[in-house]
């Protein structure tokens, strides 16, 4: 194998020479044969381990730029040829990563310096979906994953006489208010996912075979191994965090269901049932911000309607991104490079198929950073732009790290950065940047907090359950025959939602969500929802902020920026508790910051719900 060191090349030669001799049985004596087979290779040494990680870093750096450019070409222009290229590339990259991971395992028992051990772990844990070493399986896995991703991104429905693309179905779910029409859009989009089931099941089979070759029980165990703790402890950890925030979610659920009941009546929204998933203003019922008008508290300030304000102030997608960038530069980060503006996909191209789901890219580990979005001018996209830029500024902050440490402290950190910044989009900040003229009175802020909760709090159970479902799929607890049933059990148990129309075992509703179809792990977003408030509170505490937490904005604070950058610049070079401690003083992920942030809302919700019967 090309990727093997000389030592392993020799091992292979010994085995193959003896096999050859045994087969031919003639040319050498038995003594000579014994001496061949007895000469075992010496145990791997720390020096070899260090040389191995150096070689991996060099080869990864060489490969990753080319690979990123192929992926970019695909994601911004899905054609027969770019699918072909991306599939070939994925096969090649997976093979290389798997070969490295198998080789890394050989150093498991070797005492090496801490940074080398961390890099060896990164090599073993860094593959999202490993292929087994059988080349046929590698090619099949690449083909299957490319098909799944493309099927999602190019999926369309017929609605009101038009062909509607995936990103437009999201807008329909936000804006329609007729339950029959909502059910229609929801059902049609979920029908797009149904044919993906066979490919998905095959992907699970091959991925699991690959994970086993790497020494993991299944792909789920591999995913849970990336958090500087034993995989089983990670399961306990996310359940602990959910336990901290569940009371808040339960109160919000109860209130929103009552409001929906007032609007749609007992038939559509019975008060003792899970909420119909299509009524919550989002295809996956994951964020409910589109329903702000429905839940705005009467005697409180209704909050700030960014949807209206952005349009009234003539914001366009570029201006939204510039506004996001300006927040980061106010903290002392360098402006985005000129190439960001030249090469990013900020609006959806009219003439071709693309992956609309937002993402942030670092193509060369130098300064070719970009975002890829199909930006609309609304509050949700305003938030998403900050989210994506958070990824870009993180990537840039750790670019001086060795290749294997160029990632988030854990993947939840990466998802939390931009969202933490977005929490600083307070009324005071909006006035500072000229989006509103007057700052509303803080005594009526329950409306503002309600708006925040409709996204931040509503998301929590969904963030948790997506990978709870995949863990069950990868472990075999769910089979293709029970995939859908298992999905709806989790959605009912955690989110308290139900499908608008009857489902059958043939449906495959999980793949109606991008990250399932595209094979992107999801627990990171749950962690991020916890971490972003923890980071935010730490930033506000460090500024000596004394007012209500949700009114704190660190816009313009170079001091917060410098401290934040110090954590970001660490990349994944240290265990994440060290990075967390550096910025927040705590070594634990902790839901108490989000709970503290929403405390005034919790008081309001308890009061509203006191004579209601909550739960489902
Ligand atoms: O996928 C994303 C980002 C890209 S990393 C837009 N998010 C999750 C989702 O859309 O489901 C951000 C919030 C959760
Ligand atoms: Zn993200």
């Amino acid at each position: 194998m090309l990727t093997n060191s000389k030592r392993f090349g020799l091992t292979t030669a010994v085995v193959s020479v003896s096999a050859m001799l045994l087969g031919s049985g003639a040319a050498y004596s038995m003594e000579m044969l014994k001496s061949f087979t007895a000469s075992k290779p010496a145990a791997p040494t720390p020096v070899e381990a260090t040389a191995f990680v150096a070689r991996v870093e060099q080869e990864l750096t060489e490969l990753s730029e080319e690979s990123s450019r192929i992926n970019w070409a695909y994601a911004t222009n899905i054609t027969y040829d770019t699918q072909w290229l991306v599939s070939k590339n994925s096969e090649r990259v997976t093979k290389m990563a798997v070969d490295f991971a198998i080789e890394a395992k050989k150093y498991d028992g070797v005492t090496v310096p801490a940074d080398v051990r961390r890099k060896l772990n990164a090599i073993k844990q860094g593959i999202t979906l490993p292929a087994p070493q059988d080349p046929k399986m590698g090619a099949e896995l690449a083909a299957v994953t490319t098909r799944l991703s493309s099927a999602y991104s190019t999926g369309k429905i017929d609605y009101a006489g038009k062909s509607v693309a995936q990103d437009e179905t999201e807008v329909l779910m936000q804006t329609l208010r007729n339950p029959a029409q909502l059910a229609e859009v929801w059902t049609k989009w979920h029908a797009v996912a149904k044919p993906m089931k066979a490919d998905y099941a095959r992907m699970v089979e091959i991925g699991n075979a690959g994970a086993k070759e790497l020494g993991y029980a299944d792909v789920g165990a591999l995913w849970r191994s990336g958090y500087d703790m034993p995989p089983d402890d990670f399961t306990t950890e996310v359940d602990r965090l959910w336990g901290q925030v569940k009371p808040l979610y339960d109160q919000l659920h109860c209130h929103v269901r009552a409001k929906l009941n007032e609007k749609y009546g007992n038939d559509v929204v019975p008060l003792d049932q899970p909420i119909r998933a299509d009524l919550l203003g989002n295809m996956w019922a994951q964020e409910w911000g589109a329903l702000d008008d429905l839940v705005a508290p009467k005697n409180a300030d209704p909050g700030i309607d960014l949807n209206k304000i952005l349009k009234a102030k003539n914001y366009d997608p570029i201006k939204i991104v510039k506004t996001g960038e300006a927040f980061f530069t106010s903290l002392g980060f360098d402006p985005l490079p000129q190439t960001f503006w030249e090469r990013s996909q900020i609006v959806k191209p009219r003439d071709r198929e693309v992956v609309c789901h937002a993402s942030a890219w670092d193509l060369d580990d130098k300064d070719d950073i970009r975002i890829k979005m199909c930006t609309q001018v609304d509050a949700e996209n305003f938030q998403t732009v900050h989210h994506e830029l958070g990824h870009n500024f993180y990537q840039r902050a750790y670019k001086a790290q060795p290749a294997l440490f160029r990632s988030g402290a854990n993947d939840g950190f990466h998802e939390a950065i931009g969202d933490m910044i977005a929490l600083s989009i307070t009324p005071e900040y909006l006035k500072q940047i000229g989006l509103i003229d007057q700052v509303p009175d803080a005594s009526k802020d329950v409306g503002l907090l309600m708006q925040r909760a409709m996204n931040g709090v509503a998301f929590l159970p969904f963030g948790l359950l997506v990978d709870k479902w995949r863990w069950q799929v990868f472990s075999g607890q769910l089979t293709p025959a029970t995939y859908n049933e298992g999905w709806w059990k989790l959605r009912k148990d955690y989110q308290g939602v139900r499908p608008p129309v009857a489902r059958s075992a043939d449906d495959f509703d999980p793949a109606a969500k991008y990250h399932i179809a595209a094979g992107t792990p999801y627990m990171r977003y749950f962690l991020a929802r916890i971490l972003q408030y923890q980071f935010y509170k730490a930033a506000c505490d460090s500024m000596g902020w004394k007012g209500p937490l949700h009114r704190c904005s660190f816009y313009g604070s170079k001091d917060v920026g410098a401290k934040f950058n110090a954590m970001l610049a660490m990349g994944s070079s240290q265990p994440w508790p060290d990075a967390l401690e550096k910025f927040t003083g705590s070594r634990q992920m902790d839901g108490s910051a989000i709970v503290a942030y929403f405390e005034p809302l919790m008081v309001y919700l308890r009061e509203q719900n006191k004579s209601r019967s909550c739960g489902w």
Side-chain angles (χ1 to χ4, degrees):
M1 266 190 300
L2 251 180
T3 52
N4 265 338
S5 67
K6 279 205 177 106
R7 189 174 54 78
F8 291 107
L10 181 62
T11 314
T12 315
V14 171
V15 173
S16 57
V17 168
S18 28
M20 192 179 77
L21 293 176
L22 288 167
S24 67
Y28 295 92
S29 70
M30 275 313 278
E31 263 59 37
M32 285 175 77
L33 181 58
K34 270 188 206 143
S35 80
F36 259 118
T37 49
S39 63
K40 279 202 197 127
T45 66
V47 173
E48 286 168 335
T50 307
F52 168 65
V53 294
R55 187 166 53 81
V56 172
E57 293 201 298
Q58 196 197 331
E59 291 188 24
L60 277 184
T61 309
E62 279 164 22
L63 186 69
S64 88
E65 180 171 354
E66 185 182 339
S67 172
S68 303
R69 294 197 191 284
I70 292 170
N71 285 323
W72 177 269
Y74 161 80
T76 56
N77 186 13
I78 305 176
T79 66
Y80 175 85
D81 294 309
T82 56
Q83 291 184 73
W84 189 95
L85 283 167
V86 97
S87 181
K88 268 270 176 273
N89 180 61
S90 140
E91 183 185 345
R92 175 177 68 144
V93 171
T94 303
K95 175 172 169 27
M96 187 173 185
V98 167
D99 288 347
F100 283 150
I102 286 174
E103 196 170 344
K105 258 200 330 179
K106 297 182 180 158
Y107 300 101
D108 278 356
V110 182
T111 308
V112 293
D115 65 323
V116 175
R117 175 55 58 208
R118 215 171 154 68
K119 288 179 182 177
L120 288 167
N121 286 340
I123 296 168
K124 287 192 296 183
Q125 295 156 356
I127 316 171
T128 306
L129 208 56
Q133 288 206 297
D134 175 351
K136 275 214 291 296
M137 299 263 245
E140 188 182 352
L141 183 63
V144 161
T145 51
T146 307
R147 265 205 306 275
L148 284 167
S149 154
S150 303
Y152 181 95
S153 291
T154 62
K156 297 194 181 37
I157 66 166
D158 288 329
Y159 180 74
K162 283 203 201 104
S163 169
V164 180
Q166 186 276 330
D167 59 319
E168 295 294 332
T169 64
E170 286 188 46
V171 177
L172 288 174
M173 295 306 292
Q174 283 164 16
T175 49
L176 291 174
R177 288 290 180 269
N178 174 324
Q181 291 170 344
L182 283 164
E184 182 184 347
V185 175
W186 189 98
T187 308
K188 286 183 168 168
W189 177 249
H190 284 71
V192 170
K194 192 170 168 174
M196 298 189 209
K197 186 161 139 179
D199 270 346
Y200 196 85
R202 186 65 185 139
M203 181 198 83
V204 170
E205 259 170 32
I206 304 178
N208 271 343
K212 285 206 177 69
E213 286 187 8
L214 296 182
Y216 297 93
D218 58 62
V219 173
L222 169 61
W223 288 8
R224 291 190 297 276
S225 75
Y227 296 94
D228 296 305
M229 64 175 85
D232 289 349
D233 290 9
F234 183 64
T235 312
T236 315
E237 180 64 358
V238 294
D239 289 340
R240 179 184 69 80
L241 294 169
W242 171 237
Q244 286 186 290
V245 296
K246 184 177 183 303
L248 186 52
Y249 179 77
D250 287 346
Q251 291 295 321
L252 184 68
H253 181 283
C254 191
H255 183 61
V256 170
R257 182 172 63 186
K259 289 285 166 190
L260 285 167
N261 172 276
E262 281 172 23
K263 181 170 173 66
Y264 293 119
N266 285 331
D267 285 351
V268 180
V269 186
L271 284 171
D272 56 352
Q273 293 292 311
I275 303 172
R276 242 177 70 170
D278 57 330
L279 302 180
L280 286 158
N282 176 280
M283 185 64 81
W284 312 277
Q286 68 179 62
E287 279 157 335
W288 307 344
L291 304 188
D292 278 349
D293 53 334
L294 198 82
V295 293
K298 290 222 172 51
N299 300 323
D301 191 281
I304 286 163
D305 190 342
L306 263 185
N307 287 323
K308 280 207 191 104
I309 296 169
L310 291 170
K311 280 173 193 128
K313 297 272 176 183
N314 280 325
Y315 267 53
D316 59 23
I318 302 282
K319 185 137 193 223
I320 293 181
V321 184
K322 292 265 182 206
T323 307
E325 180 196 30
F327 201 114
F328 284 88
T329 54
S330 88
L331 301 177
F333 289 89
D334 286 339
L336 293 163
Q338 184 53 31
T339 51
F340 173 93
W341 302 102
E342 290 161 10
R343 299 175 190 165
S344 286
Q345 177 196 296
I346 293 175
V347 289
K348 184 178 181 175
R350 286 160 179 260
D351 57 346
R352 56 186 196 259
E353 299 280 8
V354 299
V355 177
C356 265
H357 190 87
S359 52
W361 297 60
D362 176 4
L363 285 99
D364 63 356
D365 287 330
K366 294 189 188 82
D367 216 26
D368 192 351
I369 46 180
R370 313 176 191 176
I371 59 170
K372 181 193 60 56
M373 288 184 59
C374 296
T375 314
Q376 319 248 7
V377 178
D378 61 27
E380 190 183 318
N381 278 266
F382 197 68
Q383 162 84 25
T384 303
V385 161
H386 288 78
H387 175 96
E388 297 309 333
L389 291 183
H391 287 306
N392 279 154
F393 282 98
Y394 204 169
Q395 287 158 342
R396 204 193 228 180
Y398 59 57
K399 76 176 174 188
Q401 288 287 346
L404 286 164
F405 292 155
R406 280 181 218 139
S407 51
N410 69 39
D411 55 6
F413 279 59
H414 227 302
E415 299 302 337
I417 305 309
D419 291 352
M420 174 259 199
I421 300 286
L423 287 177
S424 267
I425 304 174
T426 56
E428 286 77 4
Y429 166 71
L430 292 174
K431 175 148 191 280
Q432 266 174 299
I433 65 166
L435 269 177
I436 56 173
D437 301 328
Q438 251 198 321
V439 173
D441 183 26
S443 64
K444 295 180 179 170
D445 267 4
V446 73
L448 200 70
L449 283 168
M450 183 71 87
Q451 274 183 354
R452 293 275 189 192
M454 290 295 275
N455 289 330
V457 176
F459 179 78
L460 289 159
F462 186 76
L464 182 72
L465 73 82
V466 172
D467 277 356
K468 280 200 175 270
W469 179 81
R470 273 191 290 209
W471 293 351
Q472 293 180 6
V473 165
F474 286 125
S475 76
Q477 189 184 330
L478 294 174
T479 63
T482 55
Y483 278 174
N484 220 47
E485 190 189 318
W487 173 252
W488 282 107
K489 175 161 174 35
L490 288 165
R491 296 204 66 190
K492 173 168 178 247
D493 290 352
Y494 284 96
Q495 271 186 297
V497 301
R498 65 189 164 97
V501 295
R503 310 311 287 155
S504 86
D506 291 339
D507 289 311
F508 188 40
D509 297 330
K513 175 70 193 162
Y514 171 79
H515 303 69
I516 303 267
T520 309
Y522 208 80
M523 199 57 87
R524 54 185 64 171
Y525 301 107
F526 174 71
L527 301 180
R529 271 320 134 107
I530 304 287
L531 284 168
Q532 71 178 85
Y533 290 89
Q534 221 178 326
F535 293 154
Y536 172 78
K537 182 165 186 307
C540 295
D541 288 349
S542 84
M543 289 182 1
W545 175 257
K546 292 279 174 285
L549 187 52
H550 63 274
R551 281 281 178 143
C552 160
S553 175
F554 47 80
Y555 177 65
S557 169
K558 301 276 186 287
D559 192 40
V560 166
K563 287 191 185 124
F564 204 42
N565 189 53
M567 176 177 78
L568 303 188
M570 291 166 74
S572 57
S573 62
Q574 306 293 327
W576 64 260
D578 291 359
L580 188 62
E581 187 173 26
K582 199 170 170 119
F583 190 66
T584 68
S586 163
R587 297 186 62 79
Q588 266 213 324
M589 294 188 270
D590 183 6
S592 62
I594 181 171
V595 169
Y597 183 99
F598 286 110
E599 183 50 34
L601 180 72
M602 189 66 164
V603 172
Y604 171 83
L605 288 173
R606 283 220 175 91
E607 176 62 27
Q608 295 292 307
N609 290 333
K610 69 174 187 259
S611 54
R612 293 174 180 149
S613 147
C614 297
W616 53 88

